């Protein structure tokens, strides 16, 4: 149980284009999902908290107009990187917290490696 | 502020024990431990709640000292599969703060 999927697993795009990454909780509902970014050999940095049916909460320093988050249902959140640039190349990981979870446990997706050329 | 983990990296022979520490500068509600292998997403290991909780599974256990704002992860009789980077994630100080702040990470390498 507690499986989270991400699609795509990797994507290569040209500078200036937009890329959408999907995060799905497969066997549970998730009112809250989280988006992280991880650079090589570094820790995970929270970008934003996504709540179903409401606007995402972005961490300080994260451009909300560049990283668009939509939590359309209890099992799906999407991250769109708009006008991507090479510095946006990174490993993007989502996690999902089961609705009603008492201890704030989160389950992570397999990640999406974005390369902007 | 990001929790600090120690050591940053450690190399062990199969069968040896390891201790990984996680220290926070703020009060905590809970500590979560994850293991991440290269190029993969973190895998959940366990959660510890404030109140001096200790728990374990197989040969991996952990403790949480809320007064010291520290948690330790114990790996006994390490196996090759234990290799990876270990992260602590902290929640707190209040119950209503559900964001997970990840620590600096500890890279564990197990050699035969």
């Amino acid at each position: 149980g507690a499986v989270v999927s991400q699609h795509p697993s990797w994507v290569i795009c040209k500078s200036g284009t937009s890329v959408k990454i999907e995060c799905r909780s497969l066997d549970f509902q998730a009112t809250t999902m989280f988006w992280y970014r991880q650079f090589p050999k570094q820790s995970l940095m929270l970008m934003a908290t996504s709540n179903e049916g409401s606007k995402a909460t972005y961490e300080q320093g994260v451009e909300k107009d560049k990283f668009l988050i939509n939590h359309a249902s209890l099992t799906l959140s999407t991250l769109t990187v708009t006008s991507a640039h090479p510095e946006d190349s990174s490993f993007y990981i989502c996690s999902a917290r089961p609705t009603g979870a008492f201890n704030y446990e989160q389950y992570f997706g397999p990640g999406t490696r974005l390369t902007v050329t | 502020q990001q929790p600090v983990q120690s050591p940053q990296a450690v190399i062990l022979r199969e069968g040896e024990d390891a201790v990984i520490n996680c220290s926070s500068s703020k009060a905590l509600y809970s500590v979560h431990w994850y293991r991440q292998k290269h190029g993969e997403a973190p895998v959940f290991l366990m959660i510890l709640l404030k109140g001096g909780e200790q728990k374990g599974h197989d040969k991996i256990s952990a403790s949480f000292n809320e007064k010291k704002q520290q948690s330790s992860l114990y790996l006994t009789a390490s196996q090759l599969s234990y290799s990876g980077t270990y992260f602590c994630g902290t929640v707190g100080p209040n119950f209503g703060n559900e964001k997970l702040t990840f620590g600096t990470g500890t890279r564990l390498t197990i050699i035969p």
Side-chain angles (χ1 to χ4, degrees), chain A residues 85-96:
Chain A
H85 287 99
E87 57 265 30
D88 298 325
S89 299
S90 187
F91 193 47
Y92 291 85
I93 309 174
C94 73
S95 70

mmCIF file with all atom_site columns, all heavy atoms in Angstrom, chain A residues 85-96:
data_model
loop_
_atom_site.group_PDB
_atom_site.id
_atom_site.type_symbol
_atom_site.label_atom_id
_atom_site.label_alt_id
_atom_site.label_comp_id
_atom_site.label_asym_id
_atom_site.label_entity_id
_atom_site.label_seq_id
_atom_site.pdbx_PDB_ins_code
_atom_site.Cartn_x
_atom_site.Cartn_y
_atom_site.Cartn_z
_atom_site.occupancy
_atom_site.B_iso_or_equiv
_atom_site.pdbx_formal_charge
_atom_site.auth_seq_id
_atom_site.auth_comp_id
_atom_site.auth_asym_id
_atom_site.auth_atom_id
_atom_site.pdbx_PDB_model_num
ATOM 1  N N   . HIS A 1 85 ? 14.415 26.901 -17.888 1.00 0.00 ? 85 HIS A N   1
ATOM 2  C CA  . HIS A 1 85 ? 15.776 27.289 -18.229 1.00 0.00 ? 85 HIS A CA  1
ATOM 3  C C   . HIS A 1 85 ? 16.732 26.237 -17.686 1.00 0.00 ? 85 HIS A C   1
ATOM 4  O O   . HIS A 1 85 ? 16.372 25.448 -16.800 1.00 0.00 ? 85 HIS A O   1
ATOM 5  C CB  . HIS A 1 85 ? 16.096 28.670 -17.640 1.00 0.00 ? 85 HIS A CB  1
ATOM 6  C CG  . HIS A 1 85 ? 15.400 29.779 -18.361 1.00 0.00 ? 85 HIS A CG  1
ATOM 7  N ND1 . HIS A 1 85 ? 14.239 30.338 -17.885 1.00 0.00 ? 85 HIS A ND1 1
ATOM 8  C CD2 . HIS A 1 85 ? 15.670 30.407 -19.526 1.00 0.00 ? 85 HIS A CD2 1
ATOM 9  C CE1 . HIS A 1 85 ? 13.827 31.276 -18.715 1.00 0.00 ? 85 HIS A CE1 1
ATOM 10 N NE2 . HIS A 1 85 ? 14.675 31.336 -19.720 1.00 0.00 ? 85 HIS A NE2 1
ATOM 11 N N   . PRO A 1 86 ? 17.964 26.203 -18.186 1.00 0.00 ? 86 PRO A N   1
ATOM 12 C CA  . PRO A 1 86 ? 18.910 25.175 -17.730 1.00 0.00 ? 86 PRO A CA  1
ATOM 13 C C   . PRO A 1 86 ? 19.061 25.101 -16.218 1.00 0.00 ? 86 PRO A C   1
ATOM 14 O O   . PRO A 1 86 ? 19.246 24.013 -15.672 1.00 0.00 ? 86 PRO A O   1
ATOM 15 C CB  . PRO A 1 86 ? 20.210 25.591 -18.417 1.00 0.00 ? 86 PRO A CB  1
ATOM 16 C CG  . PRO A 1 86 ? 19.759 26.230 -19.692 1.00 0.00 ? 86 PRO A CG  1
ATOM 17 C CD  . PRO A 1 86 ? 18.500 26.982 -19.317 1.00 0.00 ? 86 PRO A CD  1
ATOM 18 N N   . GLU A 1 87 ? 18.939 26.209 -15.529 1.00 0.00 ? 87 GLU A N   1
ATOM 19 C CA  . GLU A 1 87 ? 19.087 26.188 -14.065 1.00 0.00 ? 87 GLU A CA  1
ATOM 20 C C   . GLU A 1 87 ? 17.922 25.496 -13.367 1.00 0.00 ? 87 GLU A C   1
ATOM 21 O O   . GLU A 1 87 ? 17.991 25.216 -12.159 1.00 0.00 ? 87 GLU A O   1
ATOM 22 C CB  . GLU A 1 87 ? 19.258 27.604 -13.506 1.00 0.00 ? 87 GLU A CB  1
ATOM 23 C CG  . GLU A 1 87 ? 18.147 28.560 -13.855 1.00 0.00 ? 87 GLU A CG  1
ATOM 24 C CD  . GLU A 1 87 ? 18.449 29.390 -15.089 1.00 0.00 ? 87 GLU A CD  1
ATOM 25 O OE1 . GLU A 1 87 ? 19.170 28.896 -15.981 1.00 0.00 ? 87 GLU A OE1 1
ATOM 26 O OE2 . GLU A 1 87 ? 17.957 30.537 -15.151 1.00 0.00 ? 87 GLU A OE2 1
ATOM 27 N N   . ASP A 1 88 ? 16.850 25.224 -14.115 1.00 0.00 ? 88 ASP A N   1
ATOM 28 C CA  . ASP A 1 88 ? 15.717 24.474 -13.557 1.00 0.00 ? 88 ASP A CA  1
ATOM 29 C C   . ASP A 1 88 ? 15.953 22.967 -13.624 1.00 0.00 ? 88 ASP A C   1
ATOM 30 O O   . ASP A 1 88 ? 15.157 22.192 -13.062 1.00 0.00 ? 88 ASP A O   1
ATOM 31 C CB  . ASP A 1 88 ? 14.419 24.811 -14.309 1.00 0.00 ? 88 ASP A CB  1
ATOM 32 C CG  . ASP A 1 88 ? 14.037 26.276 -14.185 1.00 0.00 ? 88 ASP A CG  1
ATOM 33 O OD1 . ASP A 1 88 ? 14.284 26.859 -13.113 1.00 0.00 ? 88 ASP A OD1 1
ATOM 34 O OD2 . ASP A 1 88 ? 13.514 26.843 -15.172 1.00 0.00 ? 88 ASP A OD2 1
ATOM 35 N N   . SER A 1 89 ? 17.018 22.565 -14.292 1.00 0.00 ? 89 SER A N   1
ATOM 36 C CA  . SER A 1 89 ? 17.334 21.143 -14.368 1.00 0.00 ? 89 SER A CA  1
ATOM 37 C C   . SER A 1 89 ? 17.570 20.601 -12.968 1.00 0.00 ? 89 SER A C   1
ATOM 38 O O   . SER A 1 89 ? 18.369 21.144 -12.209 1.00 0.00 ? 89 SER A O   1
ATOM 39 C CB  . SER A 1 89 ? 18.583 20.916 -15.228 1.00 0.00 ? 89 SER A CB  1
ATOM 40 O OG  . SER A 1 89 ? 18.370 21.366 -16.550 1.00 0.00 ? 89 SER A OG  1
ATOM 41 N N   . SER A 1 90 ? 16.852 19.544 -12.633 1.00 0.00 ? 90 SER A N   1
ATOM 42 C CA  . SER A 1 90 ? 16.937 19.007 -11.283 1.00 0.00 ? 90 SER A CA  1
ATOM 43 C C   . SER A 1 90 ? 16.129 17.719 -11.206 1.00 0.00 ? 90 SER A C   1
ATOM 44 O O   . SER A 1 90 ? 15.519 17.288 -12.182 1.00 0.00 ? 90 SER A O   1
ATOM 45 C CB  . SER A 1 90 ? 16.396 20.037 -10.281 1.00 0.00 ? 90 SER A CB  1
ATOM 46 O OG  . SER A 1 90 ? 16.604 19.620 -8.957  1.00 0.00 ? 90 SER A OG  1
ATOM 47 N N   . PHE A 1 91 ? 16.137 17.137 -10.036 1.00 0.00 ? 91 PHE A N   1
ATOM 48 C CA  . PHE A 1 91 ? 15.313 15.963 -9.734  1.00 0.00 ? 91 PHE A CA  1
ATOM 49 C C   . PHE A 1 91 ? 14.120 16.470 -8.937  1.00 0.00 ? 91 PHE A C   1
ATOM 50 O O   . PHE A 1 91 ? 14.295 17.035 -7.855  1.00 0.00 ? 91 PHE A O   1
ATOM 51 C CB  . PHE A 1 91 ? 16.151 14.962 -8.929  1.00 0.00 ? 91 PHE A CB  1
ATOM 52 C CG  . PHE A 1 91 ? 15.568 13.589 -8.787  1.00 0.00 ? 91 PHE A CG  1
ATOM 53 C CD1 . PHE A 1 91 ? 15.048 12.913 -9.881  1.00 0.00 ? 91 PHE A CD1 1
ATOM 54 C CD2 . PHE A 1 91 ? 15.561 12.950 -7.554  1.00 0.00 ? 91 PHE A CD2 1
ATOM 55 C CE1 . PHE A 1 91 ? 14.523 11.628 -9.757  1.00 0.00 ? 91 PHE A CE1 1
ATOM 56 C CE2 . PHE A 1 91 ? 15.043 11.668 -7.414  1.00 0.00 ? 91 PHE A CE2 1
ATOM 57 C CZ  . PHE A 1 91 ? 14.530 11.001 -8.514  1.00 0.00 ? 91 PHE A CZ  1
ATOM 58 N N   . TYR A 1 92 ? 12.930 16.309 -9.475  1.00 0.00 ? 92 TYR A N   1
ATOM 59 C CA  . TYR A 1 92 ? 11.718 16.783 -8.816  1.00 0.00 ? 92 TYR A CA  1
ATOM 60 C C   . TYR A 1 92 ? 10.978 15.583 -8.234  1.00 0.00 ? 92 TYR A C   1
ATOM 61 O O   . TYR A 1 92 ? 10.691 14.615 -8.930  1.00 0.00 ? 92 TYR A O   1
ATOM 62 C CB  . TYR A 1 92 ? 10.817 17.544 -9.795  1.00 0.00 ? 92 TYR A CB  1
ATOM 63 C CG  . TYR A 1 92 ? 11.414 18.862 -10.232 1.00 0.00 ? 92 TYR A CG  1
ATOM 64 C CD1 . TYR A 1 92 ? 12.304 18.922 -11.301 1.00 0.00 ? 92 TYR A CD1 1
ATOM 65 C CD2 . TYR A 1 92 ? 11.117 20.046 -9.560  1.00 0.00 ? 92 TYR A CD2 1
ATOM 66 C CE1 . TYR A 1 92 ? 12.873 20.123 -11.689 1.00 0.00 ? 92 TYR A CE1 1
ATOM 67 C CE2 . TYR A 1 92 ? 11.674 21.252 -9.946  1.00 0.00 ? 92 TYR A CE2 1
ATOM 68 C CZ  . TYR A 1 92 ? 12.557 21.275 -11.008 1.00 0.00 ? 92 TYR A CZ  1
ATOM 69 O OH  . TYR A 1 92 ? 13.127 22.478 -11.388 1.00 0.00 ? 92 TYR A OH  1
ATOM 70 N N   . ILE A 1 93 ? 10.673 15.668 -6.965  1.00 0.00 ? 93 ILE A N   1
ATOM 71 C CA  . ILE A 1 93 ? 10.029 14.562 -6.257  1.00 0.00 ? 93 ILE A CA  1
ATOM 72 C C   . ILE A 1 93 ? 8.765  15.060 -5.585  1.00 0.00 ? 93 ILE A C   1
ATOM 73 O O   . ILE A 1 93 ? 8.772  16.120 -4.948  1.00 0.00 ? 93 ILE A O   1
ATOM 74 C CB  . ILE A 1 93 ? 10.959 13.969 -5.177  1.00 0.00 ? 93 ILE A CB  1
ATOM 75 C CG1 . ILE A 1 93 ? 12.333 13.630 -5.756  1.00 0.00 ? 93 ILE A CG1 1
ATOM 76 C CG2 . ILE A 1 93 ? 10.338 12.726 -4.562  1.00 0.00 ? 93 ILE A CG2 1
ATOM 77 C CD1 . ILE A 1 93 ? 13.326 13.183 -4.694  1.00 0.00 ? 93 ILE A CD1 1
ATOM 78 N N   . CYS A 1 94 ? 7.707  14.296 -5.731  1.00 0.00 ? 94 CYS A N   1
ATOM 79 C CA  . CYS A 1 94 ? 6.485  14.638 -5.011  1.00 0.00 ? 94 CYS A CA  1
ATOM 80 C C   . CYS A 1 94 ? 6.285  13.629 -3.881  1.00 0.00 ? 94 CYS A C   1
ATOM 81 O O   . CYS A 1 94 ? 6.847  12.536 -3.896  1.00 0.00 ? 94 CYS A O   1
ATOM 82 C CB  . CYS A 1 94 ? 5.278  14.631 -5.929  1.00 0.00 ? 94 CYS A CB  1
ATOM 83 S SG  . CYS A 1 94 ? 4.737  12.985 -6.426  1.00 0.00 ? 94 CYS A SG  1
ATOM 84 N N   . SER A 1 95 ? 5.525  14.049 -2.909  1.00 0.00 ? 95 SER A N   1
ATOM 85 C CA  . SER A 1 95 ? 5.118  13.120 -1.864  1.00 0.00 ? 95 SER A CA  1
ATOM 86 C C   . SER A 1 95 ? 3.655  13.384 -1.557  1.00 0.00 ? 95 SER A C   1
ATOM 87 O O   . SER A 1 95 ? 3.121  14.457 -1.841  1.00 0.00 ? 95 SER A O   1
ATOM 88 C CB  . SER A 1 95 ? 5.967  13.275 -0.596  1.00 0.00 ? 95 SER A CB  1
ATOM 89 O OG  . SER A 1 95 ? 5.673  14.501 0.047   1.00 0.00 ? 95 SER A OG  1
ATOM 90 N N   . ALA A 1 96 ? 3.018  12.394 -0.980  1.00 0.00 ? 96 ALA A N   1
ATOM 91 C CA  . ALA A 1 96 ? 1.601  12.506 -0.665  1.00 0.00 ? 96 ALA A CA  1
ATOM 92 C C   . ALA A 1 96 ? 1.355  12.053 0.753   1.00 0.00 ? 96 ALA A C   1
ATOM 93 O O   . ALA A 1 96 ? 1.924  11.060 1.212   1.00 0.00 ? 96 ALA A O   1
ATOM 94 C CB  . ALA A 1 96 ? 0.779  11.659 -1.640  1.00 0.00 ? 96 ALA A CB  1
#
